[in-house]
Amino acid sequence: MDAAELRDLLSLEGLRLLDELPAWESSADVVRTVATLRKAGHSPGVVAAVLSQSRLRARAVAKFGPFAERMLFTEAGLEQATRLSVAALHAGRFQRAGVTWVADLGCGIGADALALAALDLEVTAVERDEVTAAIASYNLAPWSNARVEHGTAEAADLTGVSGVYLDPARRDGAKRLRDPADWSPSLDFAFGLAERLPTGVKLGPGIDRELIPADAEAQWVSVDGDVVELGVWFGDVARPGIRRSALVIGDHGSAELTAAGDSDDADAGALGEYLFEPDGAVIRARLIGDLARSLDGRMLDPSIAYITADSPAQSPFAAGFRVLEDFPLDKRSLKRELAARRIGTLEIKKRGVDIDPAAFRTALAPTGEKSATLVLTRVGGKRRALLVERLAAV
């Protein structure tokens, strides 16, 4: 979004039209809608800005629920914004730590600042992009305890602030993300604030783990099976004795696996009757060993994140499967086996083997009325294909 589009959107005409439009539907005839609005006398700029915003609001419901109906977004801002359920957890840390005034440095469209303000904390939200700062100001307008400043994190005045939250952006051109300077503000700056104030830093879950300070609490968060962030916490907003955490949020609610450090690996052993696929947050946090022991299980292979066990179990930290058959990973024989079982709908999972699941499924040409899951992996160093069925959730 550029400044001209923002002006059209924030005009009385733009905001009124946005409120009057029906909820966006992907099947809507956009050309007809544009023609109708233009015929009603609305300018091309206003129509484009409002329809774009309507589409973004519809997408934002997944992150913001009913709050999306009164918020404004940019394409990049929505993509990078913290889900409101996760932002509420961030805010809760500051509240429990007794922090009363938080500087949200790099606030984006204001998702985390909104959650902080909703808990009656004073919030100074700082955003370097002028258009995004204006969007954040609109989103935070209902809260008198929040204000937005257009500026950089490094230049922000922290006088009186009692806690800091940062969401550093990836610098243009940064690809490997192994250098603290790959982010803006840099990780040296972000982590340096922790020497003065309780600090939380939101990072992508795939960051080089060597960059995580040894004295920080590192929490990987997954929502509905998707690992959405790594939160690095310092000082009073970090929990004593916890350095690694996997927080899993889903239909079951939320569950957390914590430890004082990376867990020791579980021993590898023979394939049992049951297979467990750890949640991505557990894998990122390197707590697979602890999970395996809690399931009375063992690793399927020392280098692969699958757990096997002899008894069924339910865990929010892993998807469970019953192993029906164990086949050599051979395309021709698998095609025959699937045909004999009339399996036409096939989910393919793979770890530890260099195979494209989509291409492999096409080659197997499954046909029939039944469905199944095929796990392509290594067992005891050998390439195997496991035909499995999901355990029913409790």
Side-chain angles (χ1 to χ4, degrees):
M1 181 186 294
D2 58 22
E5 183 179 354
L6 179 64
R7 284 193 294 270
D8 283 330
L9 180 62
L10 292 180
S11 67
L12 289 177
E13 178 190 6
L15 292 175
R16 185 181 297 116
L17 182 57
L18 180 59
D19 288 339
E20 291 173 353
L21 284 179
W24 177 273
E25 294 183 6
S26 58
S27 59
D29 186 339
V30 178
V31 173
R32 179 177 296 178
T33 301
V34 169
T36 300
L37 295 177
R38 291 287 291 116
K39 188 176 180 180
H42 300 293
S43 70
V46 167
V47 171
V50 167
L51 288 181
S52 175
Q53 199 58 216
S54 181
R55 176 179 55 84
L56 290 173
R57 278 186 170 180
R59 283 174 47 194
V61 171
K63 283 189 173 185
F64 293 93
F67 285 91
E69 296 178 0
R70 62 146 304 275
M71 297 176 68
L72 298 181
F73 303 94
T74 66
E75 193 86 36
L78 176 57
E79 181 70 25
Q80 298 162 9
T82 305
R83 289 162 173 79
L84 196 55
S85 60
V86 179
L89 297 175
H90 297 165
R93 283 184 180 257
F94 287 100
Q95 184 186 54
R96 288 190 297 273
V99 173
T100 57
W101 184 358
V102 181
D104 182 359
L105 306 181
C107 69
I109 62 170
D112 279 288
L114 187 155
L116 291 161
L119 291 184
D120 294 328
L121 303 179
E122 292 291 326
V123 183
T124 299
V126 180
E127 172 55 45
R128 66 178 180 176
D129 180 75
E130 186 174 14
V131 169
T132 306
I135 294 290
S137 294
Y138 180 92
N139 291 337
L140 291 167
W143 284 271
S144 60
N145 53 320
R147 70 176 185 274
V148 177
E149 297 179 358
H150 174 220
T152 65
E154 295 88 342
D157 182 2
L158 301 182
T159 304
V161 165
S162 52
V164 178
Y165 185 76
L166 301 98
D167 184 359
R170 179 184 298 191
R171 288 189 186 276
D172 293 341
K175 296 179 180 179
R176 302 183 67 85
L177 299 182
R178 293 181 177 177
D179 185 335
D182 285 341
W183 287 265
S184 177
S186 72
L187 295 192
D188 287 339
F189 172 80
F191 296 159
L193 289 175
E195 299 174 6
R196 303 158 44 196
L197 294 163
T199 299
V201 183
K202 174 185 171 182
L203 296 169
I207 184 178
D208 186 340
R209 292 170 108 259
E210 293 183 1
L211 295 176
I212 302 172
D215 61 342
E217 175 191 340
Q219 181 187 61
W220 283 263
V221 181
S222 75
V223 179
D224 297 329
D226 181 24
V227 187
V228 297
E229 69 171 53
L230 163 64
V232 185
W233 301 93
F234 300 86
D236 290 343
V237 288
R239 294 170 293 180
I242 297 177
R243 291 293 177 265
R244 297 290 180 263
S245 162
L247 177 64
V248 177
I249 301 171
D251 292 339
H252 56 80
S254 63
E256 190 177 24
L257 197 61
T258 63
D262 295 355
S263 71
D264 294 332
D265 292 337
D267 292 336
L271 174 65
E273 187 177 351
Y274 297 92
L275 183 74
F276 297 92
E277 180 182 34
D279 184 272
V282 176
I283 297 172
R284 294 284 190 182
R286 294 188 183 170
L287 298 179
I288 304 171
D290 285 350
L291 175 59
R293 285 181 282 273
S294 74
L295 296 170
D296 196 20
R298 52 198 176 271
M299 303 307 298
L300 197 60
D301 184 279
S303 61
I304 298 175
Y306 279 132
I307 298 167
T308 187
D310 302 313
S311 301
Q314 293 288 338
S315 171
F317 305 112
F321 304 86
R322 186 166 72 92
V323 180
L324 304 176
E325 298 286 353
D326 173 16
F327 301 116
L329 208 172
D330 175 76
K331 196 179 300 181
R332 291 183 178 179
S333 61
L334 283 173
K335 187 174 182 178
R336 290 194 301 269
E337 294 290 350
L338 294 177
R341 291 165 173 77
R342 299 198 57 77
I343 294 172
T345 302
L346 185 65
E347 175 190 26
I348 297 181
K349 293 177 170 290
K350 66 106 175 183
R351 278 187 184 155
V353 293
D354 187 15
I355 291 175
D356 178 355
F360 197 75
R361 184 187 298 104
T362 299
L364 294 177
T367 58
E369 70 281 2
K370 296 182 180 180
S371 60
T373 299
L374 195 63
V375 177
L376 312 180
T377 188
R378 295 199 310 270
V379 180
K382 297 180 179 180
R383 288 158 51 97
R384 308 296 293 180
L386 309 178
L387 189 65
V388 302
E389 65 178 5
R390 288 183 179 272
L391 299 179
V394 176

